[in-house]
Amino acid sequence: MASLRDRANALFQTACTAADPGIALSRALTDTPLPRPDKGGAYRIVSIGKAAVPMAEAMIAKVQGQAFSALVVTNYENARDVAGAVVMASGHPVPDENGAKAALAVEAMLADTTSADRVIALISGGGSALLPAPVEGVSLADKAATSRLLLGAGVDISQLNLVRQALSRLKGGGLLRAAHPAPVTGYILSDVIGDDLRVIASGLTVAPVGSRAEARALLQGKGLWADLPASVQAALERDRDETPLPPAQNVLIGSNRKSLEAMQSEAGADAMIVSDRLEGDVADAAAEIFAAAKSAGDRACLIFGGETTVRLQGTGLGGRNQELALRVAMGMPDLGRPWVFLSGGTDGRDGPTDAAGGVVDAGTASRIIAAGGDPSALLANNDSHRALSLAGDLLVSGATGTNVADVQVLLLGPLH
C-alpha cells in the first residue's frame, strides 16, 4: 500500500511541476514576442496571485536592461524578495487590510502611466482575495463577510466572481481602466476549469462576468440578499460604469488540463483522464469517482481535475479536497483490490488549513476510529482536517508557488 501512496504523492508533484509559473511564462514569451514600450516609455509590471513571485522573476529577467518598475502581490506563504520589485503579501482566502493596501499601491503605480508605457499584468489564481479593492461605501470587512456568506452557500467560482466583480474597483476589467491610456498585456495562469479569463482572479484584464443586476438576482435567488451587509446591498443597487473597457491582449500560459496531461504521461499507458471538470458539491463528485472506480477494468490510474464546492453545515475545519478525500474513504465500494485516492489543491493549500488535501485508502475510516474519532460525526461537522489528521492521511506539501485548481488521482492495485 505504501507504494501506491508514494506513487500518488509523486503524481501530485508532477501536476504542480507542470504548472510551474516561471517555466510556463518563459515558454509563452518565447512563443509570443513581448510588446515594447514606445520612446520614453517603460514597462510597468504588476504580478498578482499565488504564482506572482516566480512569474515576476521570469518577466524581470526578460526586460533586464530596459526601463521598468515592478510590484508583486502574493499570499504570505509564497512571499519572498524579488530583485527589482516591491513585494507585498496579503491574506488568502480571506482578504485582509494588507490586501487593501496592495490594491491602493497597484492603483498608485498605474495612475501616472502614459500611452508610451506598456503595462504587463501577470495574473494567477488567488488574485481575487489577495487584491481587495472595495467600491465606494463598502468596507473590507463587509466585502469579506459577503465572500464568506457565498462560500458557505456552496456557490461555484463563476457565481462568486460575479458578486466580487460588482463590488470591486479593479476586478472585472477595472485594472484596464486604472492603467489607461497605457496598453495592457496579460499573461494568465488559469486556476479555473474551462479557463474562462473573466473568472481567473476575477478578471482583472477582461470584461466582467455579468452586471450588478445579475449579481442581485443571484443573491436573491439563493436567499442570501437579506443576510448581506447594508453597504453591499446599496452598492449592488447602484449603476456601474458601463463605458467600453480599454482593449488588452491576454495570453493563457498554463492550466489544470495541462497538469492532468502531465500526470497521465508520467503514470503510463494504464492511466486515463476520467474528467477535467470535477465540479459541484463534493458528495456528487465522490459519487462520480465511485462510478469510475467500479468500471475501471484493467485501468490502474484514474485522473480527475476540477474544483468542487462544500456546503458548510458544521463548525469544523477543512477544505474541499480534504472533505472529498474523506467522503471517498468512507463511501468507496468494495473493489476487490487495494486502492489509494488523493485529492489536492495545486497551490498547496486547501481552505484555511496547513494541508493541500488528503490521501486516503480503505483503512482510513478504521484509523480514525482507532484514534478516538467518529468519521461520520466529523464529516457532518465539516471537520475533515481533524478526521484526516487522526488517520495520518493529510496531504501536506507546503506552498507550491503555483495554482491551477485541484487534481485527483485514484490508484488501483491488482485484482484479488
Side-chain angles (χ1 to χ4, degrees):
M1 191 63 66
S3 61
L4 287 180
R5 282 180 169 263
D6 291 344
R7 190 179 181 206
N9 280 294
L11 288 173
F12 176 72
Q13 291 303 317
T14 295
C16 295
T17 300
D20 180 280
I23 295 172
L25 181 55
S26 295
R27 182 171 57 242
L29 292 173
T30 299
D31 296 339
T32 306
L34 183 67
R36 296 179 64 87
D38 291 341
K39 184 177 180 180
Y43 286 113
R44 306 292 187 97
I45 301 169
V46 181
S47 192
I48 300 161
K50 293 183 180 180
V53 166
M55 290 178 75
E57 290 172 334
M59 184 57 70
I60 289 171
K62 183 73 174 180
V63 303
Q64 282 298 324
Q66 303 173 70
F68 75 91
S69 57
L71 175 61
V72 178
V73 183
T74 193
N75 55 316
Y76 296 112
E77 295 87 344
N78 287 334
R80 65 172 186 268
D81 290 342
V82 175
V86 174
V87 178
M88 302 183 74
S90 59
H92 185 281
V94 178
D96 63 12
E97 289 294 339
N98 285 336
K101 292 176 183 177
L104 292 173
V106 168
E107 290 175 314
M109 179 183 185
L110 299 177
D112 62 350
T113 55
T114 71
S115 59
D117 296 320
R118 291 295 179 270
V119 173
I120 306 298
L122 308 175
I123 299 167
S124 56
S128 295
L130 294 167
L131 202 70
V135 294
E136 183 180 357
V138 175
S139 69
L140 181 59
D142 284 350
K143 190 175 180 186
T146 302
S147 292
R148 286 194 296 270
L149 181 65
L150 287 161
L151 289 168
V155 303
D156 64 33
I157 189 65
S158 293
Q159 294 170 325
L160 179 62
N161 280 307
L162 170 63
V163 178
R164 281 172 165 170
Q165 290 172 346
L167 298 174
S168 174
R169 304 189 307 272
L170 290 173
K171 298 174 175 65
L175 188 143
L176 300 180
R177 298 189 193 280
H180 189 70
V184 176
T185 301
Y187 294 91
I188 301 172
L189 184 69
S190 173
D191 67 331
V192 172
I193 305 309
D195 305 326
D196 186 343
L197 301 187
R198 299 173 304 168
V199 178
I200 304 163
S202 294
L204 294 164
T205 58
V206 294
V209 172
S211 66
R212 285 183 176 168
E214 289 171 307
R216 290 197 303 271
L218 169 69
L219 291 160
Q220 290 163 354
K222 293 281 187 181
L224 302 175
W225 182 262
D227 295 325
L228 293 171
S231 66
V232 171
Q233 293 178 346
L236 292 175
E237 288 171 340
R238 292 197 299 267
D239 291 333
R240 71 189 303 169
D241 185 356
E242 300 294 348
T243 59
L245 285 171
Q249 178 187 9
N250 288 301
V251 181
L252 182 68
I253 67 170
S255 68
N256 183 267
R257 179 71 193 193
K258 293 180 185 296
S259 285
L260 301 186
E261 291 170 350
M263 294 171 72
Q264 182 182 31
S265 177
E266 178 68 21
D270 63 352
M272 176 176 67
I273 298 174
V274 178
S275 173
D276 59 3
R277 289 183 175 272
L278 193 68
E279 300 175 291
D281 188 81
V282 286
D284 296 331
E288 185 174 342
I289 291 161
F290 299 153
K294 287 190 289 186
S295 61
D298 293 334
R299 294 281 184 183
C301 178
L302 305 182
I303 296 168
F304 308 80
E307 188 167 286
T308 58
T309 57
V310 173
R311 184 172 292 277
L312 297 178
Q313 297 174 316
T315 59
L317 186 67
R320 58 182 181 262
N321 287 287
Q322 293 164 79
E323 182 151 329
L324 177 58
L326 181 59
R327 286 180 177 274
V328 168
M330 295 175 62
M332 182 69 80
D334 183 6
L335 301 177
R337 62 202 298 192
W339 58 269
V340 164
F341 175 76
L342 178 150
S343 184
T346 55
D347 59 354
R349 181 171 180 176
D350 184 42
T353 76
D354 58 352
V359 189
V360 298
D361 57 43
T364 294
S366 296
R367 291 193 294 275
I368 294 170
I369 294 169
D374 180 338
S376 296
L378 290 165
L379 179 59
N381 194 38
N382 296 120
D383 210 358
S384 55
H385 186 273
R386 174 165 169 74
L388 295 179
S389 178
L390 289 172
D393 287 353
L394 288 172
L395 171 64
V396 181
S397 65
T400 64
T402 191
N403 186 19
V404 290
D406 305 331
V407 297
Q408 293 83 24
V409 59
L410 175 63
L411 296 179
L412 301 165
L415 288 164
H416 295 323

